Amino acid sequence: MSTSGKHDNLILKEAAPDYKPAAGGDVDLELLKDNLTKTPWERMQANDDALNFAGSLRAAMEKRNAKLK
C-alpha cells in the first residue's frame, strides 16, 4: 500500500477566519489579521522586539526618576 498521492504536496496554513467586530470596538481587527499572516516565528520575534522596547522604556523611566530625587 502506497502512501503517496494527491496530498503529498499539501501545505497547511493558518486560516484567518472571518471576525465580527467586538462590542464597543475593543479589538484592533486589522492588527489581528496582520499578525495571522505572519509565521509563528515572526510573531515570536515581534513579541521579543516589543519586550525589549518595553524594557528600554522602563530603564529610561527609572534613570529619569533617579535624577529627580
Side-chain angles (χ1 to χ4, degrees), residues 4 30 44 46 52 60-61 69:
S4 63
E30 291 303 315
M44 287 173 36
N52 289 335
M61 287 177 54
K69 290 182 181 182

Side-chain angles (χ1 to χ4, degrees), residues 16-17 19 27-37 43:
Y19 291 95
V27 178
D28 185 349
L29 297 180
E30 291 303 315
L31 181 61
L32 181 61
K33 288 177 185 178
D34 180 53
N35 278 315
L36 287 174
T37 64
R43 291 194 301 259

Side-chain angles (χ1 to χ4, degrees), residues 4-57:
S4 63
K6 64 180 180 179
H7 299 292
D8 286 345
N9 294 326
L10 180 65
I11 297 174
L12 298 177
K13 294 184 179 180
E14 288 186 53
D18 291 332
Y19 291 95
K20 296 179 183 175
D26 294 351
V27 178
D28 185 349
L29 297 180
E30 291 303 315
L31 181 61
L32 181 61
K33 288 177 185 178
D34 180 53
N35 278 315
L36 287 174
T37 64
K38 297 177 183 176
T39 65
W41 180 252
E42 290 170 327
R43 291 194 301 259
M44 287 173 36
Q45 287 179 319
N47 184 61
D48 193 46
D49 289 345
L51 287 173
N52 289 335
F53 180 65
S56 68
L57 289 177

Side-chain angles (χ1 to χ4, degrees), residues 58-69:
R58 191 174 298 113
M61 287 177 54
E62 289 172 358
K63 185 177 178 181
R64 183 199 64 183
N65 291 339
K67 287 181 180 180
L68 295 176
K69 290 182 181 182

